[in-house]
Amino acid sequence: MSDNITLNTMTGGSVVATDDSGTGHVQIVKLAQSADGSRTHVDADGDGLAVQQKAVHKPTPYKLNSAASTNATSVSATANTLLYGYYISNTNSSVRYVKFYNKASAPTVGTDTPVLVLAIPGSGAANVSFPAGINFTTGLAFATTTGAADSDTGAVAADEVIVNLIYATY
């Protein structure tokens, strides 16, 4: 087989760039940052559009049943960890807080500043999905407290807060 094929030959047709794979044709797509009809192609030498393959991120589940503490936890010490979602429940009748930190180690609760604080309703739960993920550029860590303030160090009770996370690293 030869490369390139003509479509709709009854009306003159158009030539489509293809590559002969031996068992058929595979269409070739031109990537360019130039005017229509130009022959300036993308190349790997850096003077064209940069094209790179992105890794596939396979989400990982994480679960914690609270201990009688602030449960300072490092979920992932890997830079660029994506948080795709959570389901967090609270069996206490008072609100409890889950604080997320952009760090590669367990947080120092009351000293480190969280980047996200979730209020989990008393005798309730909260869940959300982030299809594109929230990027934690340093690492993903969290803690549980009884108060909303960043400086709060109030410990939750054992088995009071259940934290379920879906995350991935890349």
Side-chain angles (χ1 to χ4, degrees):
M1 260 187 207
S2 62
D3 287 343
N4 302 334
I5 60 172
T6 303
L7 296 179
N8 199 358
T9 56
M10 297 174 93
T11 60
S14 300
V15 174
V16 176
T18 64
D19 186 31
D20 178 4
S21 67
T23 58
H25 285 269
V26 177
Q27 185 173 2
I28 297 173
V29 177
K30 172 185 164 185
L31 296 177
Q33 53 182 11
S34 57
D36 187 35
S38 166
R39 294 183 187 262
T40 305
H41 297 281
V42 175
D43 59 31
D45 296 328
D47 50 341
L49 177 69
V51 177
Q52 72 182 62
Q53 183 176 359
K54 296 228 35 144
V56 174
H57 310 296
K58 294 188 178 183
T60 302
Y62 177 88
K63 180 185 173 208
L64 173 116
N65 283 355
S66 65
S69 72
T70 59
N71 298 284
T73 303
S74 175
V75 176
S76 172
T78 304
N80 296 314
T81 297
L82 294 172
L83 177 62
Y84 285 110
Y86 60 79
Y87 178 82
I88 304 169
S89 62
N90 171 18
T91 61
N92 190 288
S93 60
S94 298
V95 68
R96 293 295 183 249
Y97 298 87
V98 177
K99 300 174 181 182
F100 290 92
Y101 300 83
N102 187 23
K103 26 182 337 179
S105 60
T108 303
V109 181
T111 302
D112 290 334
T113 302
V115 295
L116 177 66
V117 177
L118 304 174
I120 311 304
S123 302
N127 67 292
V128 73
S129 172
F130 306 108
I134 295 176
N135 189 13
F136 287 77
T137 57
T138 305
L140 175 60
F142 74 90
T144 59
T145 65
T146 57
D150 291 352
S151 60
D152 185 76
T153 59
V156 301
D159 297 319
E160 182 173 87
V161 177
I162 300 173
V163 177
N164 292 280
L165 306 176
I166 304 295
Y167 74 97
T169 59
Y170 68 99

